[in-house]
Amino acid sequence: MENERLLQDLGLTKYESTTYASLLKEGVIGAQELSRKSTVPVGKIYEVLSNLNNMGLVEFQRSRPRKYKAVKPSIALNNLYSKREEETKRELEEFKLRVSEIEDKFSNMAHPDHTEVKFWSTKMGEEDIIKDMRNLISEIELEILHVKPSRMIDIMNKGECFDADKIIPVILDEFINAAKKGIKIRSVVPGDIFINAMKKKFAGIEDIDTKQKIIENINTRVLECEYDFTIIDDYLVYVPIPDPLEPSQMFGEMKMYDREYAQKLKMRFEELWSRGKKVVFE
């Protein structure tokens, strides 16, 4: 019974798991005899055996009456995995096509100008922030202005709230994807934690066009400051939320749609940018 429950955990029905387990025990056997020994109704046994054969769990002999044999478990379970993998890929492709069709329909609808509204949401914890970073590129049309404070180095090195080895590659990948689309990115960062990661990433890129896009569209300057924010296209702002128990540590992030506030922050960014030391990735 335990083995049958394990098979059901993999998606087999009760009859399918019972039939396969019985075949393993009985060896080569006919369908009607297998029905009696497995307690699977004779009206169901042929359908069940056909399903198991399609999954790669059962073989049959073309004789009269037809004989059945269980495929060795190590092979059968790999066959089951491959079958499910193919089905999942096909379902995902169909789902992707459907999403594309629905996206086209919604994109043709009239929408209010979201750049003029005031709205905010919060992202708490590393997983939420990384997920939002990966979705960010779909919202960007023109530019990213990015500032990180001096304390960020200590926060990343301690790794108490956020893992630098996990977050920085995500940031760099999204910046590169944005740069490849022609989006301008300017960053003001402290020390070498971001610079070294970017230089290493740049050196590992073989595609000449991608490298050229990075050179053209990603500009970075080094400056020790206490500001921490990101501006997207003059209306979207990301600001960190400090941990109430440890104000020097990050707890989460706030996403704000506020053109007026973004413009004020942009003026501060330009001031910081003018004071920063230019970095060349080549």
Side-chain angles (χ1 to χ4, degrees):
M1 291 296 291
E2 181 182 358
N3 289 341
E4 292 175 27
R5 283 196 295 270
L6 291 173
L7 290 170
Q8 288 177 50
D9 289 342
L10 295 178
L12 270 66
T13 66
K14 184 178 185 299
Y15 283 163
E16 288 167 351
S17 59
T18 299
T19 300
Y20 181 72
S22 297
L23 273 172
L24 285 174
K25 180 181 178 182
E26 300 296 334
V28 177
I29 191 172
Q32 293 195 14
E33 186 180 357
L34 179 61
S35 172
R36 289 193 299 273
K37 293 191 174 184
S38 67
T39 68
V40 175
V42 70
K44 287 285 186 181
I45 193 69
Y46 290 100
E47 178 185 349
V48 170
L49 286 167
S50 177
N51 291 342
L52 291 173
N53 176 253
N54 290 334
M55 295 177 197
L57 274 66
V58 166
E59 298 175 302
F60 64 88
Q61 174 182 296
R62 296 181 184 278
S63 58
R64 292 182 178 274
R66 183 171 289 189
K67 300 289 185 180
Y68 296 87
K69 176 181 178 298
V71 174
K72 185 178 177 181
S74 60
I75 298 173
L77 293 175
N78 279 323
N79 289 342
L80 182 61
Y81 175 84
S82 297
K83 181 78 172 177
R84 292 297 165 84
E85 185 178 34
E86 290 174 8
E87 290 173 354
T88 301
K89 285 181 179 178
R90 184 168 60 253
E91 288 172 3
L92 283 174
E93 285 300 319
E94 291 173 357
F95 186 79
K96 186 177 180 180
L97 287 173
R98 188 59 181 154
V99 165
S100 180
E101 291 172 2
I102 295 173
E103 183 181 358
D104 288 342
K105 289 183 180 296
F106 276 96
S107 64
N108 293 328
M109 293 173 62
H111 300 287
D113 185 359
H114 67 281
T115 67
E116 297 302 330
V117 302
K118 291 187 178 182
F119 178 84
W120 59 268
S121 63
T122 54
K123 306 297 176 183
M124 309 306 291
E126 189 176 85
E127 289 187 8
D128 269 3
I129 290 175
I130 287 177
K131 181 180 178 181
D132 198 58
M133 285 178 184
R134 289 185 169 136
N135 292 332
L136 179 62
I137 194 170
S138 63
E139 296 201 53
I140 305 171
E141 296 178 3
L142 300 173
E143 67 174 358
I144 305 171
L145 306 179
H146 182 249
V147 181
K148 284 298 169 188
S150 303
R151 67 180 183 278
M152 182 57 61
I153 295 176
D154 291 334
I155 292 172
M156 291 297 192
N157 286 336
K158 287 180 181 178
E160 293 177 2
C161 297
F162 299 95
D163 184 351
D165 293 334
K166 189 174 181 180
I167 285 187
I168 288 181
V170 174
I171 295 172
L172 295 181
D173 286 341
E174 292 310 310
F175 277 13
I176 290 170
N177 288 335
K180 287 163 70 175
K181 289 178 60 178
I183 293 165
K184 300 293 183 182
I185 301 157
R186 289 190 286 160
S187 293
V188 176
V189 295
D192 297 327
I193 192 167
F194 180 86
I195 303 300
N196 291 339
M198 188 63 194
K199 286 183 176 180
K200 183 177 179 181
K201 189 84 173 179
F202 186 85
I205 296 173
E206 296 182 359
D207 184 69
I208 301 299
D209 290 338
T210 299
K211 281 194 169 186
Q212 188 58 38
K213 287 288 186 181
I214 292 172
I215 294 169
E216 291 173 358
N217 296 316
I218 300 181
N219 292 286
T220 302
R221 294 189 180 182
V222 174
L223 179 68
E224 300 292 328
C225 72
E226 295 308 314
Y227 293 95
D228 191 349
F229 59 85
T230 300
I231 307 171
I232 308 295
D233 290 348
D234 294 334
Y235 68 88
L236 177 57
V237 176
Y238 284 83
V239 294
I241 301 171
D243 187 340
L245 296 176
E246 185 60 55
S248 65
Q249 298 292 315
M250 287 194 302
F251 189 64
E253 196 168 51
M254 181 180 292
K255 180 180 182 181
M256 304 168 57
Y257 291 86
D258 190 328
R259 182 179 291 276
E260 183 180 350
Y261 187 65
Q263 292 299 323
K264 292 176 181 178
L265 277 181
K266 188 173 182 179
M267 291 174 62
R268 184 55 50 90
F269 176 86
E270 296 297 351
E271 176 193 332
L272 298 171
W273 181 258
S274 67
R275 290 161 45 196
K277 180 182 177 182
K278 187 176 181 180
V279 175
V280 179
F281 294 121
E282 293 176 273

